[in-house]
Amino acid sequence: MLIPYIIGFTDFFCVSAFIPFVYKYFVGFFESASYAGFFMSINGFVSFFLAPIIGEMIDHYGPRRLLMVCGLVCSLAYMTFAASSNLALILIARIILGMFKQNQDISKSIICSRKLSNSEQLNELGIFNSISLCGFCIGPIFGGYVINDDISNIRILFLITSLSQLNTCVLAYFFLPSQKTNSAKSSFNISSITTSITSTMSHLQSTALTDIAIIQLILVLAPSLSRTAFVQEIEAKMEFSSVYVGYLISTSTFASVCGGFALGRLQSYFSLSSISILKIAIVFTGISKISHFFASSISLVFFSALPYAMFSAIVRTTSLALLVSFSGKGNVGKSVGLRASLSAFCRALTPVAAGILTDISVFLPSICSVILYFSSLYFINRLKKNV
């Protein structure tokens, strides 16, 4: 069934087309970057609290119904972005997106619900992620050409994204099979979600697992903080066309894909442990970010951004594998859930933090990102002593 892959590709393509420019767009509505950062964080805060509820609804009502509802509601929200400049309406639209923008997770649930072996399921999820990232590679280039150094053109991208979400609703209605609600399943309730969250946190009792949780938080927060205001940072040093921004993000995404594929070969070739690879990748990530910070030409910006993207992808993959391995086989689901919760928390926190730091200096988010990367080495070394 190709429908989940089509939805994953179009979703990443449309969203990545305007993501590099949306922070700059919202800054234009406010007097400072701090207010714009807080405004952008609303989406992450809402998603942090309500994403588990959407997950429960997928099991209860089926992915087809959820995709139809989420696609239709998100289409109306993006249409509001495209048609209105009223902050109250845009605020409501961002809250709605935080609640219903779950296409990727719902599409993955369709793949996981198939009767596949573990290896086949991992292969299908890998293909899904690769196809989605292809959309992320192309989207920023397309968005850069549409923006064409006029930020008001972002409304065209909002309109295209709205139509894409509506297309998701249509695809789900016509091509996905309906799913009967299983009466044997437990009814939809909030208490089961609360119990799951409580049990997820309760197994972090040992010093080693606490250190891993701190490492996860730092290694999710650092790249998020660096990403949020990187366009403003580049523009503060040189004239940088929106087209170049699109190419930079697309080539960086391709480098991230290469880094993920190269991880297994590097580990087998050098016979290094996961912790050793993680430490080396963190050091190179920090160094490449510093070189990116001092880049004084467009070519240097590209040359420094590519290794940063590749090594940060290795950091992201290895840190998650480290979390799962130390938590034990019985806590794999809880560990992945913890990582997802930390990611949602950082998506909510970083726009506010980046806005406050940008008001002080446009280069401060990147400086803090480098400090966070290197500070994680302390907790990794402490982790090795406790195991």
Side-chain angles (χ1 to χ4, degrees):
M1 187 184 298
L2 297 176
I3 302 304
Y5 305 97
I6 296 174
I7 293 174
F9 175 84
T10 55
D11 184 66
F12 264 27
F13 171 79
C14 292
V15 172
S16 65
F18 67 77
I19 280 294
F21 313 101
V22 69
Y23 182 75
K24 182 179 179 180
Y25 175 69
F26 285 128
V27 167
F29 284 93
F30 301 94
E31 297 178 355
S32 70
S34 302
Y35 291 119
F38 178 77
F39 188 79
M40 287 186 63
S41 70
I42 292 173
N43 190 0
F45 278 116
V46 175
S47 180
F48 172 72
F49 289 107
L50 295 184
I53 299 178
I54 295 293
E56 184 83 4
M57 292 175 69
I58 293 173
D59 293 332
H60 188 71
Y61 296 109
R64 178 176 179 265
R65 294 181 181 179
L66 262 294
L67 272 177
M68 290 168 56
V69 172
C70 291
L72 180 59
V73 173
C74 290
S75 176
L76 295 174
Y78 282 116
M79 186 66 72
T80 302
F81 281 168
S84 176
S85 298
N86 185 289
L87 274 179
L89 289 177
I90 293 177
L91 173 62
I92 294 172
R94 283 201 67 80
I95 293 174
I96 291 173
L97 286 175
M99 296 169 60
F100 292 97
K101 185 66 174 65
Q102 310 291 340
N103 292 357
Q104 289 284 324
D105 292 333
I106 299 175
S107 298
K108 289 177 183 178
S109 73
I110 297 174
I111 297 173
C112 292
S113 64
R114 297 176 184 172
K115 295 181 179 180
L116 302 172
S117 65
N118 290 337
S119 59
E120 290 174 335
Q121 187 177 92
L122 287 174
N123 182 56
E124 290 297 317
L125 287 174
I127 294 174
F128 175 84
N129 289 332
S130 298
I131 293 175
S132 298
L133 280 175
C134 287
F136 208 97
C137 287
I138 303 171
I141 297 176
F142 174 77
Y145 278 108
V146 172
I147 294 294
N148 196 23
D149 296 326
D150 184 0
I151 195 62
S152 63
N153 289 337
I154 197 173
R155 293 190 177 190
I156 300 175
L157 298 176
F158 288 147
L159 178 60
I160 294 173
T161 306
S162 175
L163 296 176
S164 170
Q165 294 295 321
L166 188 61
N167 181 61
T168 296
C169 179
V170 172
L171 289 174
Y173 180 79
F174 285 104
F175 297 103
L176 289 181
S178 59
Q179 177 177 326
K180 296 180 180 180
T181 303
N182 188 356
S183 58
K185 290 182 180 180
S186 59
S187 60
F188 173 72
N189 59 82
I190 305 299
S191 60
S192 61
I193 299 173
T194 306
T195 303
S196 178
I197 295 174
T198 303
S199 61
T200 298
M201 300 305 297
S202 63
H203 83 283
L204 292 175
Q205 296 176 352
S206 68
T207 303
L209 289 177
T210 303
D211 285 342
I212 290 178
I214 295 173
I215 293 168
Q216 296 295 315
L217 178 61
I218 292 175
L219 295 181
V220 172
L221 181 60
S224 299
L225 190 62
S226 174
R227 269 196 311 265
T228 304
F230 89 102
V231 174
Q232 285 78 6
E233 176 188 333
I234 295 174
E235 289 179 343
K237 295 189 293 184
M238 67 189 77
E239 292 185 3
F240 205 78
S241 170
S242 57
V243 175
Y244 286 133
V245 173
Y247 276 110
L248 176 61
I249 294 176
S250 296
T251 52
S252 297
T253 303
F254 178 75
S256 298
V257 175
C258 294
F261 281 117
L263 178 59
R265 294 181 179 273
L266 290 173
Q267 187 172 19
S268 60
Y269 183 80
F270 292 103
S271 300
L272 296 173
S273 64
S274 296
I275 292 183
S276 298
I277 292 178
L278 180 59
K279 290 171 65 177
I280 294 171
I282 288 173
V283 171
F284 278 104
T285 301
I287 293 174
S288 58
K289 187 59 186 177
I290 292 173
S291 63
H292 184 261
F293 177 77
F294 286 106
S296 57
S297 66
I298 295 176
S299 58
L300 290 177
V301 167
F302 273 87
F303 282 123
S304 58
L306 295 182
Y308 171 78
M310 185 178 70
F311 285 111
S312 61
I314 295 176
V315 169
R316 184 168 58 251
T317 305
T318 311
S319 60
L320 178 59
L322 187 69
L323 172 63
V324 173
S325 64
F326 270 88
S327 299
K329 293 183 178 180
N331 293 313
V332 171
K334 295 177 182 179
S335 302
V336 175
L338 175 63
R339 172 63 177 254
S341 298
L342 291 175
S343 298
F345 173 76
C346 289
R347 287 199 306 270
L349 176 65
T350 49
V352 178
I356 296 173
L357 294 173
T358 302
D359 279 342
I360 301 172
S361 172
V362 73
F363 303 108
L364 205 51
S366 290
I367 296 173
C368 292
S369 175
V370 173
I371 294 173
L372 285 171
Y373 272 122
F374 286 115
S375 66
S376 67
L377 294 174
Y378 165 77
F379 293 99
I380 294 174
N381 288 328
R382 194 172 76 168
L383 175 65
K384 292 182 68 176
K385 296 178 181 178
N386 293 327
V387 295

